[in-house]
Amino acid sequence: MKTSTLRTFTTVHTWTGLLAGFALFVAFYAGALTMFHEEIDIWAMPHVEEARADSMDRAHALLADIVAKHPAAREQIGVTFPADHPSHEVTAYWMDKDGWKTQTLDSGAAHDAEDHEHGLADFVYELHYDLGIPKVGIYLMGVVSVIYGLALVTGLLIHLPHLLRDLFALRPGHNLKRLWQDAHNVIGILSLPFHIIFAVTGALLCLSLVTLMAFNTLTFGGKLMPAYDRATSAMPATQDKGGTATMLSPAELGARARQAALAAGAADFSPDYMRYVHYGRQGATAEVRGTSTKALGEYGAVALDAIDGRVLNLQLAGARDANHATHSAIFGLHFGTFGGLSLRWLYFLLGLAGAFLFYSGNLLYVESRRKRRHADQPRKVRAMAIATVGICLGTCLGVSVAFLANLLGPLAGAEPNAVVKPTFFAVVAAAIGWTLWRQPARAAVDLLFATAIASVAVGLLDVALHSDRLLRSLAEGRYAVIGADLVAIAMGVGFAWLGVATRRRGREGDPCSIWAWPRAPEPAR
């Protein structure tokens, strides 16, 4: 490869990494935690076991009441099952003339679906796919995924001629830049297949809707979206036949869908959402969606007659057409749902390694452009160092403090769902401000130790505040709560170790590095 070509690839790799790096750091760090969404959900809702057992029976009455008050909901109305997600209370969704509406069992009135507050686990998931930015965040992440793919391709072309040499070239020593470079290369090469999967499936998941909407309007005259809905849904074409009819309840339809799924060969089937079409009319149908384990695409659906419960169509693992198999495989590959606990841990570690990859990429940029033997570094180097520390380490601290807010909010009379998101963004903003004031070298140490303290406190406070729940779950052989506590404490220890290493570098490393702590002048002799 010519030197000029290699230089071009290196420039493209550097700038695409920098452009997408901050968003990808947040997405990968939150994505790693999202691999244990259910465990975090259980941990974050200590009183969920007190929920009423008749919630799905009440859901039937809720839907009938909504359709009576909002006739537009008759065309299509859905409701969530609690399933294995404690924060997913039974909630109805329907489309009204001014957008999607939602209503829970206890809210008593409809409100905009966009205003629905999500629990801690769902907020962490939001950070993964839209950075917590409503409406446009998911499209932003789609663009980021495309840039991420370009960075992967150029990185592969740069290292392809000496792939094996770079794979085993981890050289610890006094040259920290070389060590960071080696670690960046090794992690990038080892996890390259997974990063290709994440980039491709991430772009498809984030941009498919906006792309379809564009083609639907510009090319297909409004016929593409209905075709897409049919291609990704189990629901057959339906027709409102007028008159009135008594609907089977969501609980009954969920049970019949599960029975049909097991009969079709699914290992299991846990309904988590269903929708009626033409509710209360002759010809009404229902689609029950849910998850099955031991499948590449865990998500499936069963369509039923909403009046007599007759099965109309199945789209499940091992019993789905090519369209649904492709759609499910994209989700399965991106979220690692096709394996057991060991695969989830692998994806967790890949998520943390991915976050390190983008953090180390920024550090390499800073190290490559700083002036040797000059204590005063260029403005662009200082700006990148401040942004790297403030945003990346601020995100780690923000997530840990959000977990603390979820624990402590109820003690102050606040709903956990209402404090988690504002707390996270306030902490990240404070971390950026702190980095500006303290400068990156000292702020990095401060933020790492603060994250360590917050993470350990998450585990210890939960044990102290909810020891009865912990003992009960252990006695019943359920380990989600203690697992979340132990992982929080372990991550706290890890952040403390990073803080010690960063402080040592600041005191003992190159005094002209931007990571060096200012040193007192030597006394005159």
Side-chain angles (χ1 to χ4, degrees):
M1 186 183 297
K2 293 182 180 177
T3 304
S4 59
T5 305
L6 180 62
R7 189 181 303 115
T8 301
F9 284 149
T10 302
T11 302
V12 173
H13 180 72
T14 300
W15 282 104
T16 50
L18 292 176
L19 283 172
F22 293 113
L24 289 171
F25 179 92
V26 178
F28 271 80
Y29 188 75
L33 300 179
T34 295
M35 293 312 303
F36 295 96
H37 181 281
E38 290 183 13
E39 286 76 5
I40 294 174
D41 213 17
I42 294 170
W43 178 91
M45 306 284 286
H47 303 298
V48 70
E49 293 165 355
E50 299 170 6
R52 295 179 57 172
D54 63 344
S55 56
M56 288 312 295
D57 295 331
R58 294 170 63 204
H60 194 32
L62 172 69
L63 296 181
D65 183 60
I66 290 173
V67 171
K69 294 178 178 175
H70 307 275
R74 186 183 301 280
E75 183 62 25
Q76 182 176 179
I77 184 168
V79 63
T80 54
F81 288 74
D84 294 326
H85 305 282
S87 66
H88 289 194
E89 56 184 331
V90 176
T91 307
Y93 293 88
W94 70 98
M95 177 67 84
D96 214 334
K97 59 182 180 181
D98 52 351
W100 282 98
K101 300 292 181 183
T102 184
Q103 183 173 330
T104 64
L105 284 176
D106 301 319
S107 61
H111 54 89
D112 291 340
E114 291 291 339
D115 298 333
H116 184 65
E117 294 173 346
H118 291 167
L120 176 65
D122 286 345
F123 172 65
V124 174
Y125 179 48
E126 279 185 50
L127 282 179
H128 169 67
Y129 75 81
D130 69 1
L131 308 178
I133 304 172
K135 297 182 180 178
V136 299
I138 188 169
Y139 306 126
L140 172 64
M141 284 308 299
V143 175
V144 166
S145 296
V146 174
I147 298 174
Y148 168 37
L150 184 57
L152 286 177
V153 171
T154 51
L156 177 62
L157 292 173
I158 293 168
H159 294 286
L160 196 58
H162 38 80
L163 202 62
L164 287 179
R165 188 193 70 188
D166 288 348
L167 183 60
F168 299 104
L170 192 60
R171 295 162 288 185
H174 294 294
N175 190 337
L176 291 177
K177 182 195 170 186
R178 189 178 64 186
L179 179 60
W180 279 108
Q181 181 74 65
D182 291 344
H184 183 86
N185 293 342
V186 168
I187 291 176
I189 293 170
L190 287 176
S191 56
L192 180 62
F194 293 95
H195 280 284
I196 293 173
I197 291 173
F198 296 153
V200 173
T201 56
L204 289 172
L205 291 171
C206 293
L207 293 178
S208 58
L209 180 59
V210 68
T211 305
L212 286 167
M213 291 173 67
F215 278 105
N216 183 55
T217 303
L218 300 175
T219 307
F220 292 94
K223 298 178 181 177
L224 182 59
M225 292 306 291
Y228 177 76
D229 289 340
R230 288 194 297 274
T232 56
S233 166
M235 186 81 81
T238 58
Q239 184 177 2
D240 183 351
K241 298 179 180 178
T244 59
T246 302
M247 300 291 96
L248 289 177
S249 70
E252 175 65 23
L253 288 168
R256 294 198 183 203
R258 185 173 187 279
Q259 186 179 20
L262 296 180
D268 48 29
F269 185 76
S270 177
D272 62 6
Y273 179 78
M274 69 156 293
R275 60 175 176 140
Y276 291 92
V277 175
H278 309 314
Y279 185 93
R281 299 283 197 183
Q282 296 293 335
T285 54
E287 182 187 54
V288 180
R289 299 177 184 175
T291 55
S292 301
T293 57
K294 302 178 182 178
L296 174 58
E298 63 169 4
Y299 218 55
V302 179
L304 308 106
D305 187 302
I307 300 171
D308 60 19
R310 180 168 41 93
V311 175
L312 303 177
N313 191 18
L314 290 164
Q315 291 295 344
L316 299 161
R320 51 168 60 109
D321 57 33
N323 284 333
H324 290 81
T326 304
H327 201 251
S328 298
I330 291 172
F331 280 91
L333 289 170
H334 190 85
F335 294 105
T337 57
F338 54 90
L341 183 61
S342 57
L343 185 71
R344 292 165 66 196
W345 275 109
L346 175 61
Y347 266 58
F348 174 79
L349 295 175
L350 285 168
L352 294 183
F356 170 80
L357 199 64
F358 305 113
Y359 186 74
S360 61
N362 283 14
L363 294 185
L364 288 172
Y365 173 88
V366 170
E367 285 297 309
S368 299
R369 284 156 179 78
R370 73 178 175 90
K371 291 183 177 179
R372 309 291 169 188
R373 305 181 187 283
H374 285 75
D376 187 24
Q377 297 297 328
R379 181 176 299 176
K380 66 179 182 181
V381 172
R382 284 188 279 115
M384 178 55 73
I386 289 171
T388 299
V389 170
I391 296 175
C392 297
L393 299 187
T395 295
C396 299
L397 178 59
V399 169
S400 294
V401 176
F403 273 66
L404 272 182
N406 188 88
L407 276 176
L408 300 176
L411 300 181
E415 284 291 327
N417 293 355
V419 299
V420 164
K421 188 171 182 177
T423 298
F424 170 80
F425 285 109
V427 170
V428 173
I432 295 172
W434 185 258
T435 308
L436 278 168
W437 182 59
R438 288 275 282 176
Q439 296 304 306
R442 291 185 181 275
V445 176
D446 298 340
L447 295 177
L448 285 168
F449 282 133
T451 308
I453 293 170
S455 301
V456 172
V458 166
L460 296 181
L461 268 178
D462 181 63
V463 172
L465 294 174
H466 306 124
S467 56
D468 55 337
R469 187 267 301 262
L470 178 60
L471 294 175
R472 186 172 61 250
S473 63
L474 288 175
E476 294 172 356
R478 295 181 288 125
Y479 304 106
V481 176
I482 189 65
D485 290 334
L486 292 177
V487 169
I489 294 171
M491 292 186 72
V493 173
F495 280 112
W497 175 77
L498 290 173
V500 170
T502 306
R503 184 173 61 181
R504 184 186 305 124
R505 182 185 184 185
R507 288 178 169 173
E508 302 174 5
D510 183 353
C512 295
S513 169
I514 200 165
W515 307 111
W517 289 21
R519 299 177 185 178
E522 293 184 4
R525 296 180 178 176

